[in-house]
Amino acid sequence: MQCTLCSEHSELYCADRKRSYYRCLTCDLVFADPDSLIAEADEKAIYDFHENDPYDERYRQFLSQLSEPLLTKLKKGMRGLDFGCGPGPTLNLMLEEQGMQVELYDLYYYPDKAKLQQRYDFVTASEVVEHFAHPARSWQQLFSLIKPASWLAVMTSLNELKTTASFKNWNYKNDPTHVSFYSRQTINWLAERYQADYEIVNGRVILFRC
């Protein structure tokens, strides 16, 4: 199986009752069998059930894992894009409250492709990259959105599991819309691919700068 990120050779990693997973021998991405991907209409139906309330303090606390370290890198007035903001945009409000300007893009809910033809001082992707069915194309798009010496802030649950048994029991991979899983090795591969510096904050937030 060809890796969906780096196009190198991957091998069958494990399988559960619903789908098989492959692991790349080069970039260490673990990805669901492409033949098991659900239709876009079914994917959106799942997202429609998400109850992301901009005024829910618990949700804001969750997003602060990304916003707080990112804000230490930014200056007031900078302009960014919340990529994959979902049906209840909240991260943009949190950043705007701190003096930033934030545009929105989401494939299903804010599908203004003109926002993807611009470049920004920062781009955020919170709980987005695990949904990438075509990660090579999607990561290239993310990095193309930032200006030189600007920031790409990503939040996802990193795969730090050491055994296939642990992966099979990992609840994060059970969401049928989660199809790409990244280890620290994968993040390092991405940084090298896009000539970016990076830091990992709290084990789940990655700040790229290139």
Side-chain angles (χ1 to χ4, degrees), residues 12-21 167-168 173:
L12 182 65
Y13 184 50
C14 67
D16 58 24
R17 294 179 180 179
K18 295 185 178 180
R19 55 189 182 178
S20 298
Y21 302 86
F167 183 86
K168 288 178 71 173
K173 68 110 173 75

Side-chain angles (χ1 to χ4, degrees), residues 41-61:
D42 295 329
E43 184 177 44
K44 182 179 182 297
I46 292 173
Y47 298 153
D48 286 343
F49 280 104
H50 290 184
E51 297 180 356
N52 297 338
D53 181 353
Y55 304 102
D56 182 340
E57 286 304 319
R58 289 179 298 177
Y59 185 46
R60 281 179 165 246
Q61 186 64 34

Side-chain angles (χ1 to χ4, degrees), residues 144-210:
S144 75
L145 291 168
I146 58 173
K147 298 175 182 178
S150 295
W151 296 93
L152 170 60
V154 172
M155 183 159 67
T156 190
S157 288
L158 292 177
N159 175 19
E160 302 194 271
L161 305 170
K162 303 302 182 183
T163 67
T164 56
S166 297
F167 183 86
K168 288 178 71 173
N169 291 322
W170 190 26
N171 186 60
Y172 196 69
K173 68 110 173 75
N174 293 335
D175 185 326
T177 69
H178 290 184
V179 297
S180 293
F181 307 95
Y182 308 84
S183 68
R184 289 174 184 261
Q185 181 178 330
T186 317
I187 298 303
N188 190 67
W189 184 91
L190 284 163
E192 291 181 355
R193 167 68 177 81
Y194 292 100
Q195 300 181 324
D197 296 323
Y198 73 95
E199 60 181 285
I200 298 176
V201 183
N202 297 328
R204 66 181 300 134
V205 173
I206 306 98
L207 302 178
F208 294 99
R209 187 172 189 264
C210 61

Side-chain angles (χ1 to χ4, degrees), residues 67-78:
S67 66
E68 290 181 358
L70 176 60
L71 283 166
T72 67
K73 313 293 186 183
L74 305 180
K75 296 180 181 179
K76 287 187 177 181
M78 283 186 166

Side-chain angles (χ1 to χ4, degrees), residues 125-157:
S126 173
E127 296 295 310
V128 171
V129 299
E130 63 274 10
H131 300 278
F132 286 169
H134 307 284
R137 183 175 67 199
S138 298
W139 279 98
Q140 183 176 22
Q141 182 176 58
L142 279 181
F143 277 100
S144 75
L145 291 168
I146 58 173
K147 298 175 182 178
S150 295
W151 296 93
L152 170 60
V154 172
M155 183 159 67
T156 190
S157 288

